[in-house]
């Protein structure tokens, strides 16, 4: 039995010592796998951080560009608004000048016809369109208009009279 114990005991001891060695080997392998996984995770985190920093920098540049474009647009809008106001002033001034020129022209024509003899004025006005003749007669004094119309063809004088009547404000007669 002693011999059996001598043979069996070392085998049992050997079997027991190989078990921890196998566990240590498995733990070491697993540890290596975990270290590799940690390295992969760290690399992925670093790539994420680099991408995040690049994205944030690009976003800041885009925001700065957008702010600059907005400022440019606002400056252009203000400039256009100022130009529009200036143009409106020029238009108003030109309209006033045009009105003054038309009034001066009408006044000169009116004075010319007022100085003419009624029969001469009637002959000239009869050859014009009724609308134009009425425009000229509307600037003259009622006495002159009456004298000129009396020298005209009755049909033409009638048309001009109707046009003159439409030109006068209601309730007001020359």
């Amino acid at each position: 039995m002693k011999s059996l114990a001598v043979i069996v005991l070392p085998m049992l001891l050997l079997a027991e010592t190989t078990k921890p060695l196998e566990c240590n080997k498995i733990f070491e392998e697993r540890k290596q796998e975990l270290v590799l996984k940690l390295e992969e995770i760290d690399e992925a985190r670093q790539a994420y951080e680099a991408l995040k920093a690049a994205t944030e920098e690009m976003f800041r540049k885009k925001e700065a560009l957008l702010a600059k474009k907005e400022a440019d647009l606002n400056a252009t809008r203000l400039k256009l608004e100022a130009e529009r106001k200036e143009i409106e002033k020029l238009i108003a001034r030109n309209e006033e000048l045009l009105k003054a020129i038309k009034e001066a022209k009408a006044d000169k024509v009116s004075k010319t016809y007022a100085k003419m003899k009624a029969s001469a004025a009637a002959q000239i006005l009869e050859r014009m369109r009724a609308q134009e003749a009425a425009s000229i007669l509307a600037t003259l004094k009622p006495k002159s208009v009456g004298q000129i119309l009396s020298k005209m063809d009755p049909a033409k004088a009638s048309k001009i009279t109707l046009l003159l009547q439409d030109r006068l404000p209601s309730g007001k007669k020359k």
Side-chain angles (χ1 to χ4, degrees):
M1 259 285 216
K2 258 189 182 185
S3 66
L4 187 60
V6 171
I7 295 177
V8 172
L9 188 59
M11 285 170 98
L12 284 177
L13 287 174
L14 184 64
E16 297 240 347
T17 58
T18 58
K19 225 177 194 183
L21 287 176
E22 286 178 21
C23 286
N24 283 343
K25 185 179 176 185
I26 292 171
F27 286 139
E28 284 298 318
E29 288 174 1
R30 185 68 181 143
K31 180 181 174 185
Q32 287 299 327
E33 288 175 17
L34 291 174
V35 166
L36 289 174
K37 287 284 186 188
L38 282 173
E39 287 176 1
E40 288 176 13
I41 290 171
D42 189 47
E43 287 176 8
R45 184 188 56 76
Q46 288 176 358
Y48 167 75
E49 292 295 327
L51 180 63
K52 180 181 173 187
T55 303
E56 287 174 350
E57 180 62 25
M58 186 175 67
F59 182 70
R60 280 190 294 276
K61 286 180 180 178
K62 292 282 185 179
E63 278 185 330
L65 182 63
L66 179 63
K68 183 184 180 305
K69 285 185 178 184
E70 283 179 353
D72 290 346
L73 285 174
N74 284 336
T76 302
R77 183 183 53 80
L78 291 173
K79 181 181 174 186
L80 288 174
E81 184 67 26
E83 287 177 2
R84 184 187 61 79
K85 287 180 181 178
E86 186 64 30
I87 288 170
E88 285 176 353
K89 286 179 185 177
L90 288 173
I91 289 172
R93 196 172 99 214
N94 286 343
E95 286 175 351
E96 288 174 10
L97 289 172
L98 183 61
K99 184 179 176 184
I101 290 170
K102 284 181 180 179
E103 287 176 1
K105 181 181 167 187
D107 189 45
K108 187 171 183 178
V109 170
S110 176
K111 286 179 181 177
T112 301
Y113 276 91
K115 290 180 182 178
M116 292 175 79
K117 291 185 179 180
S119 59
Q123 286 179 357
I124 295 170
L125 293 172
E126 274 184 344
R127 292 188 180 126
M128 291 183 186
R129 290 189 344 229
Q131 203 59 32
E132 293 169 349
S135 294
I136 293 171
L137 289 174
T139 63
L140 299 176
K141 294 181 180 177
K143 183 177 180 183
S144 297
V145 172
Q147 290 173 349
I148 292 171
L149 287 175
S150 69
K151 302 289 184 180
M152 294 177 92
D153 174 57
K156 184 80 172 197
S158 174
K159 285 181 186 177
I160 294 173
T161 302
L162 290 174
L163 291 172
L164 284 172
Q165 186 178 8
D166 290 342
R167 289 178 180 269
L168 295 175
S170 59
K172 184 178 178 184
K173 295 182 181 177
K174 279 196 171 185

